Amino acid sequence: MSEVPMGSRDDVLAGGGTGGTTSSPMAFPIPADELGTVSIVPNGSFEAGSYQTFVLTYVAGKFGIDDSGSMRVCFRFASDQTRPQFEDPKGPNYTTIEASNNAVLTYHYDPKGNVRPWDRTLYIKVVRGFLREGDKITITFGDRSGGSPGMRLQTFCEDSYEFHTLIDPIATYCYQPMPVQPVIKIIPGKLDRYLAVAPTIREIDESFSIKFKGEDKWGNPSDQCNIQLCPRASHPVQNLPDVVSLKPGEFFGVIEGLSVANAADLHIDFLDDAGAVMCRTNPIRIEPAPLSRHFWGDLHGQSEETIGTGSAEAYFAFARDYAFVDATGHQGNDFQITGDFWSQLDQLCQQFNEDGKFVAIPGYEWSGNTGLGGDRNIYFPNEGRTIRRSSHALVTDHSDIDTDCNSAEELFATFAEHGEDDVVVFAHCGGRYADIELAHDGRFEKAMEIHSSWGSFEWLVQDAFRLGYRVGIVANSDGHKGRPGASYPGAALFGAVGGLTCFLIDSLSRETILEAIRKRHHYATTGGENGRPLITLDADFPQGGTKFHDDPRHGRDKGMAANQAIMGDIVHLPSGNLSIKVDIRASVAIERVDVFNGLNLIETIRPYAKEDLGSRIRVVWEGAEYRGRFRQVIWDGSAFLSENEILSASPINFFNKDKTLNQPSPHELNWRALTTGNIGGFDMVLADPYSGTLKIETPLIKAGVPLEDIGFEDEVFDRSGVLPRYLKLFRLPAVNPHQSMQFERSISLQPEGDNPIFVRVTLDDGTLCWTSPIYFYRSSDQP
């Protein structure tokens, strides 16, 4: 049997978790070797997302389990396996439970039934009778005897997936973790797709590498590849081989020593033996003297020592070796980070950080209650810093509790008091959301994280605009599945793929990454296989102004005379004209570009004209119910087409494999879908572009629209509440070939207040991108 022995990582009284906590001050009432044993069959390795049957057997120890005593079998918060259920023998994870001595048991499943990170709990209570030593409780997860397909395992890999068992033998409601826990290994499935990642900008003749991998259908890097691929570049690349391969047991490949002899925009396709394109790199730009080389990072996620999956060491290794990002940061919930784990994180950052190759930034998530300011990400340029927790909720060593900062306001004040001007802070929305109206200090808080695995949160940066803050825009995964930089939602209620941030820096180091954040020189994307487009936003103002990298209201930046600016800059422009230049190159078609001045949409620019429109209709839904945890909007629904036929339909951002788009007839579609602030939807191609009527029904919106009324502009059905919730329809070209856009626009500025000028890019596959704004202000009275 695969087993995890009890030890320092597993000694929380009720939780018994690996959550980076120390042992409870209460003594366990029963010696561990008298608790009995627990085992599971089968054991070994199992494919992520596969259906299995497991029999867990608890053999009672010296004390048995008394009348009204109980046990718990717990799973991690991040796990997305099917829930145990007891009513439908044909349904997924039908679970049966029995006692060997016929004692009567009651049981139920509670997704929040135990101390984090072991939240997801099967609770079993002895209600009539009792167990003696040697008596057994047998649990069959995924009992197939009545027709159930079995228990579907979680969709992401884990070396030690634990059926974490806790026992209350004396009916005191004092649960003790079993000394040896049953464990299986979850491994990747068969190959579903290939991905290739290249640098975004490099200099002429500068050496670079390309990394490529295969993933299973759930987004896990797969070692079950056996293929030869032929790289073919759209522009000559020196030392590009004719053939590369991925063999069984290999998770990824690297092509090193590449270079390009002249300026060019290019991509590299990877073809199979039949000439079919298996994957394409992100766009690559070669320049004679680039001001920025553009590096990509995911700076926000957790590992099993707090509420994530896999070890912290595996977390850093995944970001570097499997996600192919240039930078990452570990952001564990502060109230679970012990002193020992804080020291370990410092050691890991030091171990993995290598300037020019990979950056690991020390830090943590300040996880204050919403009413005290909500979640913030804290980053340091060096190890050895003080962790100023929001609380010691799950840290029982209180020797450093005097360093706690219970509110965000106190946190910022403490940074200032101790001269920690080099700290960088993001506000974000995860379970808790950051209330930046309650607390914000622009000396430290430099960016708003508006996309993660939890969804999209444009309202967060809109709050900042409304309040007059000057912040950048970032996106990260906030992942809990041990996959920073390539964080897919799987089958859980996480509604989106984890995001990425592109940093506009010339060289790769901690200091350049943090300095880019301070200057807001970065843009954000919703990630995924097409989530690394090249985007530039520049401004020209010929009559000149004063450019600042730091907000002049803080008195630390005197500014410089300038007539040009890039995304993130702050510009005092008392008079004169302003124009912006936007350059976008993506690996898929561009659907639209929205130009904003803060809260106001200035213009929507599409790469195609009205006369290019065809028989493709796009239906898009977007929204969230609430700023906090329970934000999902359910869009399950149907579409019916009269006097016409649907030739084909394709989903947009249906990340959860349980959520599907189906076509039961030539006239009808139905689907299951949800959003958490992000967008979803579908395209359908019609037999006749304009005949008939489209009727759509969802729980939130019911609408009927003649097809001849669906055109270039959006047809919007708005059901916004506390946050935006809407459905929109519009027409697209049958084929959109436009993977690049360049345009210039003159911009009129408001005379009072800030003018945060930025663009939002929507790609044809549903990927979203946001540049950080360039902040212009006219008034000399306003710094």
Side-chain angles (χ1 to χ4, degrees), residues 673-715:
L674 62 82
T675 58
T676 52
N678 52 315
I679 68 170
F682 59 87
D683 283 352
M684 57 182 181
V685 178
L686 308 180
D688 185 316
Y690 297 104
S691 295
T693 298
L694 175 63
K695 181 181 179 181
I696 293 178
E697 291 192 4
T698 73
L700 193 62
I701 292 170
K702 295 176 174 58
V705 183
L707 285 169
E708 61 184 3
D709 291 345
I710 302 175
F712 193 72
E713 302 295 337
D714 298 340
E715 183 81 20

Side-chain angles (χ1 to χ4, degrees), residues 30-237:
I30 295 175
D33 61 357
E34 296 179 356
L35 284 173
T37 62
V38 62
S39 62
I40 197 162
V41 292
N43 57 62
S45 298
F46 303 88
E47 181 180 318
S50 65
Y51 282 88
Q52 305 290 338
T53 297
F54 296 99
V55 178
L56 183 146
T57 303
Y58 168 68
V59 180
K62 177 180 179 179
F63 291 86
I65 296 182
D66 205 5
D67 184 2
S68 78
S70 56
M71 64 181 288
R72 296 172 177 172
V73 181
C74 305
F75 304 94
R76 289 187 178 277
F77 164 81
S79 186
D80 60 356
Q81 79 273 356
T82 48
R83 295 183 176 193
Q85 56 90 13
F86 319 102
E87 294 79 26
D88 181 7
K90 295 183 179 180
N93 205 3
Y94 179 62
T95 300
T96 55
I97 305 170
E98 60 184 14
S100 61
N101 65 352
N102 295 317
V104 177
L105 308 174
T106 61
Y107 36 84
H108 69 272
Y109 176 77
D110 184 349
K112 293 292 288 183
N114 196 64
V115 178
R116 61 187 281 155
W118 303 101
D119 303 49
R120 305 185 185 280
T121 302
L122 172 60
Y123 173 80
I124 304 164
K125 183 177 182 179
V126 181
V127 294
R128 191 172 299 171
F130 56 89
L131 272 63
R132 291 189 172 92
E133 184 173 11
D135 289 337
K136 300 175 182 178
I137 291 178
T138 301
I139 308 167
T140 303
F141 294 96
D143 188 334
R144 289 178 160 124
S145 61
S148 170
M151 169 189 178
R152 191 187 63 200
L153 291 175
Q154 70 183 27
T155 62
F156 50 97
C157 299
E158 187 172 5
D159 285 342
S160 54
Y161 175 90
E162 194 169 325
F163 293 76
H164 192 75
T165 306
L166 307 160
I167 307 298
D168 172 25
I170 307 180
T172 59
Y173 221 71
C174 178
Y175 288 89
Q176 297 183 228
M178 292 299 296
V180 176
Q181 296 285 358
V183 168
I184 61 172
K185 183 176 183 179
I186 298 182
I187 60 175
K190 296 178 181 179
L191 182 80
D192 183 68
R193 60 182 174 266
Y194 293 96
L195 289 89
V197 172
T200 302
I201 297 179
R202 288 297 182 265
E203 190 171 4
I204 292 172
D205 291 328
E206 180 180 357
S207 179
F208 64 88
S209 63
I210 291 175
K211 300 176 181 180
F212 58 99
K213 63 178 176 177
E215 291 182 341
D216 69 13
K217 68 178 183 179
W218 300 105
N220 299 298
S222 177
D223 60 351
Q224 299 185 38
C225 306
N226 188 10
I227 192 171
Q228 287 190 328
L229 297 168
C230 303
R232 296 292 182 265
S234 61
H235 182 88
V237 176

Side-chain angles (χ1 to χ4, degrees), residues 295-470:
F295 292 92
W296 293 87
D298 175 2
L299 304 187
H300 182 189
Q302 305 197 45
S303 58
E304 68 182 8
E305 292 86 352
T306 50
I307 200 170
T309 305
S311 70
E313 183 172 8
Y315 174 94
F316 286 102
F318 186 97
R320 181 189 63 188
D321 299 335
Y322 297 92
F324 310 147
V325 292
D326 302 302
T328 197
H330 188 286
Q331 291 282 299
N333 294 114
D334 57 1
F335 54 72
Q336 286 184 265
I337 298 178
T338 65
D340 287 344
F341 184 44
W342 183 238
S343 297
Q344 182 190 355
L345 286 172
D346 270 358
Q347 293 166 6
L348 288 170
C349 286
Q350 190 171 48
Q351 171 187 331
F352 278 89
N353 192 76
E354 186 175 0
D355 286 354
K357 293 186 177 180
F358 183 74
V359 168
I361 302 178
Y364 66 98
E365 179 184 301
W366 185 87
S367 304
N369 277 4
T370 309
L372 295 171
D375 286 350
R376 301 312 211 274
N377 302 102
I378 313 299
Y379 300 96
F380 301 114
N382 56 285
E383 294 84 7
R385 303 297 286 266
T386 299
I387 177 172
R388 305 188 186 282
R389 300 177 183 86
S390 58
S391 75
H392 272 60
L394 290 174
V395 178
T396 54
D397 177 1
H398 290 184
S399 60
D400 61 350
I401 200 168
D402 60 328
T403 64
D404 280 8
C405 295
N406 302 134
S407 71
E409 183 178 20
E410 183 184 356
L411 179 71
F412 294 136
T414 303
F415 285 151
E417 179 184 348
H418 288 80
E420 296 183 79
D421 294 338
D422 56 358
V423 174
V424 169
V425 179
F426 297 165
H428 80 266
C429 177
R432 294 161 294 271
Y433 68 88
D435 186 340
I436 62 172
E437 186 165 9
L438 180 66
H440 169 76
D441 190 325
R443 292 173 295 177
F444 309 105
E445 193 162 75
K446 298 297 184 180
M448 303 289 117
E449 181 184 278
I450 68 168
H451 178 83
S452 72
S453 298
W454 294 86
S456 297
F457 319 105
E458 287 184 317
W459 54 262
L460 188 55
V461 76
Q462 290 166 358
D463 282 355
F465 296 153
R466 177 174 54 82
L467 294 165
Y469 303 158
R470 294 164 176 168

Side-chain angles (χ1 to χ4, degrees), residues 635-691:
W635 293 100
D636 298 354
S638 62
F640 183 80
L641 193 63
S642 65
E643 303 176 40
N644 207 329
E645 288 190 358
I646 302 168
L647 299 182
S648 64
S650 54
I652 301 167
N653 291 349
F654 275 59
F655 299 121
N656 186 327
K657 299 298 181 182
D658 292 337
K659 309 296 185 183
T660 57
L661 175 69
N662 307 297
Q663 185 175 351
S665 78
H667 311 283
E668 185 180 3
L669 298 174
N670 59 57
W671 59 85
R672 297 179 61 223
L674 62 82
T675 58
T676 52
N678 52 315
I679 68 170
F682 59 87
D683 283 352
M684 57 182 181
V685 178
L686 308 180
D688 185 316
Y690 297 104
S691 295

